[in-house]
Amino acid sequence: MKRLATLFTQSYREIRQVRTITTCAMFAAISVVLGYFTIQLGNYIKIGFSGIANELVDYLFGPVVGGCFGGLLDVLKYLVKPTGEFFPGFTLNAVLAGFLYGSFFYKRPLTMPRILLAKLVVVMICNVGLSTLWLSMLYGKGFMVLLPARFIKNMIMWPIDSLILYTVGKALETSGVFRILKNPLVGGALPK
């Protein structure tokens, strides 16, 4: 429990740094742009890339920053490219997903088993559970009617999304991008 409290305290301290805010702004812009690029497989399955930016913020800055970033970005994306009506339940999902990913990833190595577990938790709680509830409330369809199709879709996407995050994360880690974002003085001291 003490480790969890320390994790949240450290993540809270991150949100007060200019470096964190500017990095989050950069990832928000990347996420909005990536939102325009999706691969549609049939009527129900689509592979999107905008979530990668959210998950990288969660990895770099933790659950507090991740939750705030997820909620704010959800509203920003709706303002930039509205799809359907705005519903605060989906913003709650974005906050909760950022919080969960941040809890799994912050100050820990990005390994495939960790990514698979984090994605599974988020898929089951946010995508299958809460999103199905929100859709049921919005469209007046029964929760149990919507649940099987949403479960199958998310189980198909779970390993695909995990592999995409792992591949991108490892590429950024290998290239040194994470090291630079976490410590801007890595390349040397700032000029006087």
Side-chain angles (χ1 to χ4, degrees):
M1 191 67 172
K2 186 177 179 181
R3 176 159 166 47
L4 190 60
T6 303
L7 185 79
F8 288 101
T9 304
Q10 290 173 343
S11 180
Y12 175 74
R13 286 187 190 130
E14 294 269 10
I15 204 167
R16 298 169 47 196
Q17 297 179 13
V18 173
R19 171 188 53 88
T20 302
I21 302 300
T22 55
T23 304
C24 286
M26 177 189 68
F27 276 112
I30 291 169
S31 182
V32 169
V33 170
L34 287 176
Y36 289 99
F37 301 100
T38 57
I39 299 170
Q40 189 76 28
L41 303 173
N43 292 333
Y44 302 105
I45 305 288
K46 66 178 179 179
I47 300 173
F49 302 101
S50 68
I52 295 169
N54 295 47
E55 293 152 4
L56 294 176
V57 166
D58 305 336
Y59 167 70
L60 289 168
F61 305 116
V64 175
V65 177
C68 293
F69 180 79
L72 290 171
L73 188 60
D74 182 71
V75 173
L76 176 67
K77 283 183 178 179
Y78 180 78
L79 292 173
V80 170
K81 184 184 174 189
T83 54
E85 57 189 84
F86 180 78
F87 185 73
F90 295 116
T91 303
L92 174 67
N93 280 14
V95 171
L96 184 58
F99 173 81
L100 290 170
Y101 284 132
S103 299
F104 274 95
F105 299 152
Y106 187 52
K107 298 200 181 263
R108 295 186 177 119
L110 276 179
T111 62
M112 193 60 175
R114 178 171 285 120
I115 291 171
L116 282 167
L117 180 60
K119 286 269 188 194
L120 181 62
V121 169
V122 170
V123 159
M124 296 309 291
I125 293 172
C126 297
N127 299 0
V128 174
L130 290 175
S131 286
T132 305
L133 176 64
W134 308 144
L135 290 171
S136 174
M137 290 169 62
L138 272 172
Y139 300 112
K141 293 188 177 182
F143 181 84
M144 294 307 289
V145 171
L146 296 170
L147 188 65
R150 293 197 47 78
F151 177 79
I152 291 169
K153 172 201 175 254
N154 280 283
M155 287 299 102
I156 291 170
M157 291 307 301
W158 168 50
I160 296 168
D161 288 340
S162 298
L163 184 61
I164 291 170
L165 176 60
Y166 179 78
T167 304
V168 170
K170 283 301 174 183
L172 292 174
E173 188 175 67
T174 303
S175 67
V177 171
F178 288 152
R179 192 173 59 250
I180 293 168
L181 291 174
K182 287 181 182 180
N183 183 3
L185 299 178
V186 165
L190 292 173
K192 293 183 181 181

